[in-house]
Amino acid sequence: MSNDKDSFNVSDLTSALKDEDRAGLVNALKNKLQNLAGQHSDVLENLTPKIRRRVEVLREIQGKHDEIETKFREERAALEAKYQKLYQPLYNKRYEIVNGATEVEGAPEDAKMDQGDEKTAEEKGVPSFWLTALKNNDVISEEITERDEGALIYLKDIKWCKIEEPKGFKLEFFFDQNPYFKNTLLTKAYHMIDEDEPLLEKAIGTEIDWYPGKCLTQKILKKKPKKGAKNAKPITKTEDCESFFNFFNPPQVPDDDEDIDEERAEELQNLMEQDYDIGSTIREKIIPHAVSWFTGEAIEGEEFEIDNDDEDDIDEDEDEDEEDEDEDEEEDDEDEEEEVSKTKKKPSVLHKKGGRPQVTDDQQGERPPEC
Amino acid sequence: MSNDKDSFNVSDLTAALKDEDRAGLVNALKNKLQNLAGQRSDVLENLTPNVRKRVDALRDIQSQHDELEAKFREERAILEAKYQTLYQPLYVKRYEIVNGTTEVELAPEDDTKVDQGEEKTAEEKGVPSFWLTALKNNDVISEEVTERDEGALKYLKDIKWCKIEEPKGFKLEFFFDTNPYFKNTVLTKSYHMIDEDEPLLEKAMGTEIDWYPGKCLTQKILKKKPKKGSKNTKPITKLEDCESFFNFFSPPEVPDEDEDIDEERAEDLQNLMEQDYDIGSTIREKIIPRAVSWFTGEAMEAEDFEIDDDEEDDIDEDEDEEDEEDEEDDDDEDEEESKTKKKPSIGNKKGGRSQIVGEGKQDERPPEC
């Protein structure tokens, strides 16, 4: 091939970068890569005429296959949309019951009428429904701190929908009016590179409009001034800390003109994969089976899978150590699980969480300090 | 709850273990875990009667949802099967052309080279090295294929996959012509999954390869010269495991239940199994449906764009290419490009594997052949 084709035109790329024209950058890269792919296609140039002819016929067959595959994807998308539509009335009913917009049939038992009436006045719907559902999922519960729970009590619905341009999906978290932030809706959108694989291009979250002094992703530190200092007032400082609400401030790919080293790139990738894991867990598990997570029934299946992995047992124990040891019931659970884990030796194969402990180590390096 | 429910009955488990009755073990574990789950359902016991009634109504709604979901899965499976049926005639035609069972019609421009064509046709049937070339053009697979492997992979004449229903999973089938390396004509790899929707692997199984003497590609023979002055002057021969594509058919296995395994070992094992599954799913989802595009290199266009966004992967590619002198030009080109690409690829599977590949190779992989 000619040298012109082989050479990579840096000025093309430079102008694309300066314009901050991502589309231009993509096109420039694609053009160069097509040339590179052309080199790989030396396969064709080295073939005898008859073999080349056969390859041409094979390419036609491949073209037919790809057409059929496109129809398959269309039909599959239509099928998925059909069922999402069928689920919607059920999600609406769930919303109404959870938030007390609709009362269920069946009068309260007469014998407890007074008590029932009294509490009904206080408790509408199913209090802490979504908070409880989220806490019962191991992937999500790792993100929720005790401080977060006060805000998550006001969470009244979670929805997801597909995004077409660019391809991806969006999660919507609906909150009642609450003393923490002004937003009634927080969203998280994932833009994907490919339809069939979880290749994430970027993630975007709502900016949370916290009320003064209520920000859950930061904590206020007060330092006493050094003895003898003229200024006797304590110094206050805000510091980032762990919170579920960091979910709405996802890791960002750096700007094009910012250099990033290999190690940093890898850490960033791990963080983004972890963030995507949380989002897809909410979309695929929490939203469709919220009631089963609330009651704990969903944990049954998960527990069986998770407890096959020693690694995960340790993670659970670490979580439980942080809870009040005064809770006798929890102590029983902990003892039971320790006993169980001694008899289970097989590692869980390909369990997503099992693959994360390495990433969890990054939490020590990358995560804000514990609140 | 009563103490009886809380206690874990070790004798039940012991009996299950001694019987080596896996189903029994699974049931025993499930029963115990249901009790544990029952404790988590304290949520229900702490509710007021009215709230509890609402939760029961919610559970009814959830059941309706789960029924719909089951129908969705059935319909989706039917849809997938329908299209696999539509693909089959195309795969059959592909097989026939690749293996020379069917000849394509000659195009007019070939007339002037009929003599040369006929001469070579006698030597070359179909499309030689079709599957070998397709596999080598995929980055995930090419990392597994060594130079020694190529001689055997030339005899690969088809790859197929099919679903397995009991247990849930899928199987890959590799069809080989009669060849001087091994006696098998079909090598298979099965993956048994725990869950339909997620890639949770229970186990993987491969065909035992019946190598001809001295032809085993997963081992190499080392000869050591005896120490000077030693009575025995014959060289000592020793077999050592080495890297090979054909290790794919001896996948990592979960140890027996009575064997204890430490945490680090478990993690290494898990990484190896994930890596093995990645190879299998790449073959199933990419190579088989688009073998021609991989053979010609067209499939690399899109892949290159995605992969080359990740600096880590660039380094992997460079490592591969350093082994081949012919690729020096490409090597320089790649290095130049990598300097201008700074964004990490987000969620790219291979990018996520680099750590695993690096560590796995150093610690677990057999030494280079």
Side-chain angles (χ1 to χ4, degrees):
Chain A
M1 306 175 83
S2 73
N3 193 47
D4 286 341
K5 277 192 176 180
D6 289 346
S7 70
F8 191 87
N9 194 323
V10 178
S11 63
D12 280 356
L13 189 62
T14 303
S15 64
L17 288 170
K18 288 185 174 176
D19 291 343
E20 292 187 6
D21 181 359
R22 184 180 177 98
L25 173 59
V26 168
N27 287 333
L29 289 175
K30 274 194 168 177
N31 290 338
K32 298 307 172 189
L33 289 167
Q34 276 166 4
N35 290 336
L36 286 180
Q39 292 185 32
H40 287 122
S41 294
D42 284 347
V43 163
L44 290 180
E45 295 178 10
N46 293 331
L47 298 176
T48 64
K50 277 209 171 183
I51 295 178
R52 183 152 191 175
R53 177 63 194 151
R54 293 170 193 149
V55 173
E56 291 300 328
V57 175
L58 288 175
R59 288 172 93 178
E60 287 166 17
I61 294 175
Q62 188 68 57
K64 292 181 195 173
H65 173 282
D66 294 347
E67 281 175 22
I68 295 178
E69 190 175 37
T70 300
K71 286 181 186 174
F72 166 65
R73 290 188 184 192
E74 286 171 14
E75 282 192 40
R76 183 177 62 181
L79 181 67
E80 286 167 0
K82 167 188 167 187
Y83 273 88
Q84 285 301 320
K85 201 170 183 180
L86 290 174
Y87 298 145
Q88 287 313 311
L90 300 177
Y91 292 158
N92 288 340
K93 284 185 191 175
R94 179 176 72 187
Y95 171 88
E96 287 173 357
I97 293 174
V98 164
N99 295 286
T102 299
E103 187 55 87
V104 302
E105 292 178 9
E109 295 167 18
D110 290 341
K112 300 180 179 178
M113 176 69 69
D114 291 344
Q115 184 182 356
D117 280 339
E118 181 181 351
K119 292 202 174 179
T120 298
E122 298 173 13
E123 293 182 317
K124 210 173 68 164
V126 180
S128 302
F129 176 81
W130 287 102
L131 169 59
T132 307
L134 292 171
K135 280 178 69 184
N136 279 342
N137 178 278
D138 281 328
V139 172
I140 311 298
S141 65
E142 282 182 7
E143 309 297 315
I144 298 176
T145 67
E146 286 185 25
R147 291 176 75 210
D148 291 334
E149 296 190 18
L152 289 173
I153 285 173
Y154 294 90
L155 180 56
K156 59 183 185 178
D157 207 4
I158 310 178
K159 298 182 179 181
W160 81 274
C161 59
K162 254 191 171 185
I163 299 173
E164 283 300 327
E165 194 61 46
K167 293 283 185 182
F169 70 93
K170 178 166 74 164
L171 297 169
E172 296 175 315
F173 299 74
F174 295 86
F175 286 83
D176 245 332
Q177 279 183 350
N178 65 80
Y180 293 88
F181 47 83
K182 298 174 187 173
N183 320 66
T184 54
L185 171 61
L186 302 181
T187 69
K188 178 71 171 284
Y190 292 99
H191 298 171
M192 315 307 290
I193 292 173
D194 189 299
E195 262 185 70
D196 277 328
E197 292 187 71
L199 298 175
L200 182 66
E201 185 177 338
K202 84 197 283 194
I204 303 173
T206 303
E207 186 173 349
I208 301 177
D209 202 353
W210 299 102
Y211 286 112
K214 293 292 188 178
C215 180
L216 293 167
T217 59
Q218 293 180 327
K219 64 183 179 181
I220 298 172
L221 298 176
K222 294 184 179 180
K223 290 183 178 178
K224 291 182 178 178
K226 292 180 179 178
K227 268 189 174 179
K230 295 181 180 179
N231 184 3
K233 290 183 181 177
I235 301 168
T236 63
K237 174 189 172 189
T238 58
E239 191 174 81
D240 287 344
C241 64
E242 281 194 11
S243 166
F244 171 81
F245 293 91
N246 283 314
F247 178 67
F248 298 98
N249 186 24
Q252 294 294 313
V253 180
D255 291 338
D256 294 349
D257 56 354
E258 182 182 335
D259 200 356
I260 182 172
D261 63 36
E262 182 180 320
E263 189 173 330
R264 170 66 183 156
E266 188 176 332
E267 285 171 7
L268 182 61
Q269 171 142 4
N270 285 337
L271 284 177
M272 294 179 92
E273 280 188 14
Q274 192 175 332
D275 177 77
Y276 181 79
D277 193 33
I278 295 166
S280 59
T281 295
I282 293 174
R283 167 191 171 191
E284 293 167 12
K285 295 185 176 184
I286 303 292
I287 293 180
H289 303 106
V291 181
S292 305
W293 285 105
F294 172 83
T295 62
E297 288 168 276
I299 301 175
E300 182 182 317
E302 292 283 317
E303 284 262 288
F304 179 69
E305 289 164 7
I306 290 170
D307 281 352
N308 268 341
D309 189 333
D310 287 334
E311 199 88 16
D312 284 344
D313 283 335
I314 290 170
D315 282 346
E316 277 191 47
D317 289 345
E318 285 170 12
D319 288 340
E320 285 166 9
D321 288 343
E322 293 170 9
E323 295 170 17
D324 291 338
E325 293 177 3
D326 294 335
E327 298 180 36
D328 293 338
E329 289 172 348
E330 287 298 329
E331 283 179 353
D332 289 342
D333 280 338
E334 192 171 330
D335 293 339
E336 194 76 24
E337 280 167 352
E338 282 175 2
E339 185 178 357
V340 169
S341 69
K342 287 173 187 172
T343 59
K344 299 172 194 162
K345 296 169 183 175
K346 287 192 173 184
S348 170
V349 184
L350 280 188
H351 187 269
K352 279 184 183 176
K353 188 177 179 186
R356 294 295 176 198
Q358 216 163 28
V359 175
T360 302
D361 287 341
D362 288 342
Q363 286 186 357
Q364 296 161 20
E366 291 292 320
R367 285 279 178 159
E370 196 79 31
C371 296
Chain B
M1 306 174 86
S2 73
N3 193 48
D4 286 341
K5 278 191 176 181
D6 289 346
S7 69
F8 191 86
N9 194 323
V10 178
S11 62
D12 280 355
L13 189 63
T14 304
L17 287 171
K18 288 185 175 177
D19 291 342
E20 292 187 6
D21 181 358
R22 185 184 175 96
L25 173 60
V26 168
N27 287 334
L29 289 175
K30 274 194 168 177
N31 290 338
K32 298 307 172 187
L33 288 167
Q34 276 166 5
N35 289 336
L36 288 179
Q39 294 186 32
R40 302 237 178 161
S41 294
D42 284 348
V43 162
L44 291 180
E45 295 179 10
N46 293 331
L47 299 175
T48 64
N50 269 351
V51 173
R52 178 143 194 183
K53 201 172 287 280
R54 294 170 194 147
V55 172
D56 286 342
L58 289 174
R59 290 170 95 176
D60 289 345
I61 294 173
Q62 187 67 59
S63 294
Q64 292 172 42
H65 173 282
D66 294 348
E67 281 176 23
L68 279 178
E69 193 176 38
K71 285 182 186 174
F72 165 67
R73 291 188 184 191
E74 284 175 22
E75 283 192 39
R76 184 177 61 180
I78 290 169
L79 182 67
E80 286 167 359
K82 166 188 167 187
Y83 274 88
Q84 287 301 320
T85 300
L86 290 175
Y87 297 143
Q88 288 313 310
L90 300 177
Y91 292 158
V92 171
K93 283 185 191 175
R94 179 175 73 187
Y95 171 88
E96 288 175 354
I97 293 173
V98 164
N99 295 286
T101 306
T102 300
E103 186 55 89
V104 303
E105 295 172 9
L106 282 178
E109 56 260 43
D110 290 335
D111 287 343
T112 56
K113 300 179 178 176
V114 166
D115 290 346
Q116 183 184 356
E118 281 177 5
E119 181 182 350
K120 292 202 174 179
T121 298
E123 299 173 14
E124 293 181 315
K125 207 172 70 164
V127 180
S129 301
F130 176 81
W131 288 101
L132 168 58
T133 307
L135 292 171
K136 281 178 69 186
N137 279 343
N138 177 278
D139 282 328
V140 172
I141 312 297
S142 65
E143 284 182 10
E144 309 296 315
V145 177
T146 68
E147 286 184 25
R148 291 176 75 209
D149 291 335
E150 296 189 19
L153 288 173
K154 280 177 183 174
Y155 294 90
L156 180 56
K157 58 183 185 177
D158 207 4
I159 311 179
K160 298 182 179 180
W161 81 273
C162 59
K163 253 191 172 185
I164 300 172
E165 283 300 327
E166 194 61 46
K168 293 282 184 184
F170 70 93
K171 177 165 75 164
L172 297 169
E173 296 176 312
F174 298 74
F175 295 85
F176 286 84
D177 247 331
T178 303
N179 66 79
Y181 293 88
F182 47 83
K183 298 175 187 173
N184 320 66
T185 53
V186 185
L187 302 181
T188 68
K189 179 69 170 285
S190 300
Y191 293 99
H192 299 172
M193 315 306 291
I194 291 173
D195 189 299
E196 265 184 68
D197 277 328
E198 292 187 72
L200 298 175
L201 182 67
E202 184 177 340
K203 86 196 281 194
M205 301 167 66
T207 302
E208 186 172 350
I209 301 177
D210 203 353
W211 299 101
Y212 286 112
K215 294 291 188 178
C216 180
L217 293 168
T218 59
Q219 292 180 325
K220 63 183 180 180
I221 300 172
L222 297 177
K223 295 184 178 179
K224 290 184 178 177
K225 291 182 179 178
K227 292 180 179 177
K228 268 188 174 180
S230 157
K231 293 181 180 179
N232 184 4
T233 56
K234 290 183 181 178
I236 301 168
T237 63
K238 176 188 171 189
L239 288 177
E240 194 172 78
D241 287 344
C242 65
E243 282 193 12
S244 166
F245 171 81
F246 293 91
N247 283 314
F248 178 66
F249 299 97
S250 302
E253 294 203 336
V254 181
D256 290 339
E257 282 151 23
D258 55 354
E259 183 183 334
D260 200 357
I261 182 173
D262 63 36
E263 182 179 320
E264 188 174 330
R265 168 70 181 153
E267 189 176 332
D268 287 347
L269 181 62
Q270 170 137 6
N271 286 337
L272 284 178
M273 294 178 91
E274 281 190 15
Q275 194 176 327
D276 176 77
Y277 181 79
D278 193 34
I279 296 166
S281 59
T282 295
I283 293 174
R284 167 192 171 189
E285 293 167 13
K286 295 186 176 184
I287 303 292
I288 293 179
R290 298 197 175 85
V292 182
S293 304
W294 285 105
F295 173 83
T296 62
E298 289 167 275
M300 298 173 79
E301 182 182 315
E303 290 282 320
D304 262 0
F305 178 68
E306 289 166 6
I307 291 170
D308 280 352
D309 266 343
D310 190 318
E311 292 184 285
E312 200 89 15
D313 283 345
D314 282 336
I315 291 171
D316 284 345
E317 280 189 42
D318 288 345
E319 285 170 359
D320 289 338
E321 284 164 8
E322 279 161 16
D323 291 335
E324 301 172 75
E325 293 178 2
D326 293 340
E327 299 285 341
E328 277 178 354
D329 289 343
D330 284 339
D331 199 330
D332 294 337
E333 196 76 22
D334 285 344
E335 283 174 5
E336 184 178 356
E337 284 181 57
S338 67
K339 290 173 187 172
T340 59
K341 298 173 195 161
K342 298 168 183 175
K343 285 193 173 184
S345 170
I346 305 148
N348 182 280
K349 279 183 181 176
K350 189 178 179 186
R353 299 284 176 219
S354 299
Q355 207 168 30
I356 296 169
V357 170
E359 290 176 13
K361 282 186 175 177
Q362 292 157 22
D363 298 331
E364 295 289 325
R365 286 281 180 156
E368 196 80 33
C369 296

